[in-house]
């Protein structure tokens, strides 16, 4: 699904923020937990360490902290927010939405609407796409988009095929009306293909396989992934979505200052780089420090890059992400 870009975007990213828990889990720590090695993890994924939420820390706690930091950067109050979108597959509870807990924690208006969206690792791009449309139509002025995951609580810590990959964290942006300066969200493109829905899933705990002693005994309430199935389509689909973003905006690979990608596997990104013609030294990579934080990875990388001065106002940023669903997408943002 594409939207129409114009030379003057309707919405911009007015502020960014991120939060990651303090606790660091290194590959060496994992060597003591499962049959793995630092060398395997680094060579196959690029990950060296990841963050793990503290006991009692919740998804909405992390989301609220990232949101507060994004609001401060945007020089807005929580009461200025008109809509809260929380992209997550690890909500505080199945019911109600994590967005409502965030509303309370940040002190947004008591009538401020909000909802969660489940598009796994593509969740932030989906959220950005929705926020852009609310702002463009005038239905909302300031939209908070948060990508947050607390995956450590739904990982099978005996499965080396998944537990070494993921980490916890949150990233947030405030989307506001663009100014008349050509900066903003130039385009978003989002896609899905349900044929691979069960290649990355949490089988139990929903209505199809409600939680029971049996599902817990069999670890069916934890993440299952057929990594190779996802890997095969990831390079192809991320490349296609990225090329579409460039063509849609009349840009060449040389016009991209930075790619801010979902951080699932550095080998996937090397494949995308080769195929779409933007060299790897213009991919913002922090997978080595945070692992795969699913919907949080793009906004964490974005905010980290803004705060350390790598990503500067006016630069062309190409964002792309793909994950469970499978769901994927791209966005072209002139920062
Ligand atoms: O976030 C969005 C969605 N997810 C993704 O985008 C993930 C996409 N997939 C991947 O990134 C990769 O498929 C993985 C990193 C998950 C796995 O890498 P791979 O190169 O596809 O490895 P593999 O699954 O083909 O496994 C190769 C070998 C196997 O051993 P045998 O059968 O060759 O003896 C695995 O059992 O590596 C073994 N293995 C491990 N060895 C040490 C799997 N996990 C580990 C591990 N440590 N942690």
């Amino acid at each position: 699904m594409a939207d129409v870009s114009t030379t003057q975007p309707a919405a911009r990213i007015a502020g960014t923020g991120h939060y990651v828990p303090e606790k660091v889990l290194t590959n060496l720590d994992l060597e003591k937990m499962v049959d793995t090695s630092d060398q395997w993890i680094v060579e196959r994924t690029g990950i060296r360490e990841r963050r793990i939420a503290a006991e009692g820390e919740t998804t909405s706690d992390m989301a609220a902290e990232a949101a507060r930091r994004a609001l401060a950067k945007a020089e807005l109050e929580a009461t200025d927010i008109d809509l809260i979108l929380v992209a997550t597959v690890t909500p505080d509870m199945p019911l109600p939405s994590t967005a409502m807990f965030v509303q309370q924690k940040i002190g947004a208006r008591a009538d401020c609407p909000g909802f969660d969206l489940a598009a796994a690792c593509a969740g932030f791009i989906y959220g950005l796409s929705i926020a852009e449309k609310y702002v463009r139509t005038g239905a909302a002025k300031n939209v908070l988009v948060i990508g947050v995951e607390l995956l450590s609580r739904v990982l099978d810590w005996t499965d080396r095929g998944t537990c070494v990959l993921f980490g916890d964290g949150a990233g947030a942006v405030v989307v506001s009306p663009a100014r008349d300066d050509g900066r903003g969200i130039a385009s978003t493109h989002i896609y899905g293909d349900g044929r691979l829905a069960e290649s990355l899933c949490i089988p139990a705990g929903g209505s199809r396989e409600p939680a029971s002693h049996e599902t817990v005994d069999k670890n069916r309430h934890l993440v299952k992934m057929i990594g190779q199935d996802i890997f095969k389509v990831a390079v192809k689909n991320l490349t296609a979505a990225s090329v579409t973003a460039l063509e849609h905006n009349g840009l060449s690979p040389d016009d991209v200052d930075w790619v801010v990608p979902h951080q699932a596997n550095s080998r996937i990104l090397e494949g995308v780089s080769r195929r779409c013609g933007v060299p790897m030294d213009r991919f913002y990579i922090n997978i080595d420090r945070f692992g795969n934080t699913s919907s949080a990875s793009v906004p964490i990388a974005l905010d980290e890059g803004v705060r350390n001065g790598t990503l500067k106002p006016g630069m062309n940023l190409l964002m792309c992400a793909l994950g469970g669903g499978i769901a994927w997408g791209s966005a072209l943002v002139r920062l």
Side-chain angles (χ1 to χ4, degrees):
M1 192 176 88
D3 71 27
V4 181
S5 81
T6 57
T7 45
Q8 173 55 52
R12 70 189 168 106
I13 293 179
T16 62
H18 84 274
Y19 167 84
V20 288
E22 261 175 49
K23 185 181 168 188
V24 175
L25 186 73
T26 66
N27 291 351
L28 297 180
D29 296 328
L30 280 161
E31 283 184 1
K32 295 176 200 137
M33 298 162 65
V34 285
D35 180 15
T36 190
S37 66
D38 176 53
Q39 189 189 355
W40 190 96
I41 303 170
V42 172
E43 282 177 5
R44 297 288 180 130
T45 70
I47 301 167
R48 292 181 187 276
E49 59 186 45
R50 67 290 289 145
R51 300 300 179 100
I52 304 293
E55 210 183 320
E57 192 167 31
T58 63
T59 298
S60 62
D61 290 336
M62 296 196 296
E65 191 49 39
R68 287 184 201 104
R69 294 176 186 183
L71 283 164
K73 274 277 182 189
E75 297 180 6
L76 291 172
E77 302 295 330
T79 48
D80 295 320
I81 294 298
D82 304 306
L83 175 64
I84 301 169
L85 303 180
V86 178
T88 189
V89 290
T90 48
D92 281 15
M93 302 174 186
L95 171 75
S97 71
T98 301
M100 290 300 103
F101 292 117
V102 172
Q103 182 208 61
Q104 289 303 295
K105 286 181 182 175
I106 64 173
R109 294 194 309 270
D111 64 352
C112 177
F115 58 90
D116 294 1
L117 69 98
C121 307
F124 177 74
I125 304 285
Y126 269 57
L128 203 61
S129 166
I130 297 167
E132 192 274 339
K133 284 158 191 66
Y134 266 89
V135 172
R136 172 146 43 103
T137 58
K141 191 170 172 205
N142 300 307
V143 182
L144 193 52
V145 183
I146 304 168
V148 56
E149 302 293 357
L150 209 166
L151 287 155
S152 62
R153 303 247 170 92
V154 292
L155 290 175
D156 179 347
W157 290 100
T158 65
D159 174 16
R160 68 177 183 176
T162 50
C163 75
V164 306
L165 303 173
F166 297 97
D168 300 334
V173 300
V174 180
V175 176
S176 301
R179 297 175 176 138
D180 201 14
D181 57 5
R183 289 164 56 191
I185 303 167
S187 67
T188 59
H189 292 80
I190 58 172
Y191 308 91
D193 181 352
R195 286 174 297 180
L196 285 177
E198 289 178 46
S199 293
L200 177 46
C201 66
I202 296 177
S207 58
R208 179 160 128 187
E209 214 176 304
S212 66
H213 290 293
E214 196 190 345
T215 60
V216 173
D217 289 345
K218 291 184 174 164
N219 278 344
R220 305 238 342 132
H221 58 298
L222 303 176
V223 169
K224 310 275 177 244
M225 181 169 80
I226 306 169
Q228 283 188 346
D229 282 4
I230 311 273
F231 195 104
K232 278 179 205 146
V233 290
V235 176
K236 184 169 144 265
N237 292 358
L238 286 168
T239 302
S242 299
V243 168
T244 299
L246 295 183
E247 288 177 357
H248 187 83
N249 292 287
L251 299 176
S252 77
D254 288 346
D255 297 318
V256 176
D257 293 295
W258 284 96
V259 180
V260 184
H262 170 49
Q263 320 269 329
N265 188 321
S266 48
R267 286 185 298 137
I268 292 177
L269 299 179
E270 283 158 13
V272 175
S273 164
R274 270 194 306 276
R275 289 179 186 211
C276 77
V278 182
M280 270 305 269
D281 60 8
R282 282 192 269 135
F283 276 59
Y284 191 95
I285 307 282
N286 61 10
I287 190 173
D288 51 326
R289 286 172 293 122
F290 300 127
N292 180 346
T293 56
S294 187
S295 66
S297 84
V298 172
I300 289 175
L302 174 66
D303 182 53
E304 191 184 64
V306 166
R307 283 173 198 259
N308 69 24
T310 306
L311 311 178
K312 298 187 180 69
M315 281 184 166
N316 283 324
L317 306 185
L318 172 61
M319 301 172 186
C320 57
L322 176 141
I326 57 172
W328 72 100
S330 63
L332 200 295
V333 175
R334 189 158 308 116
L335 198 58

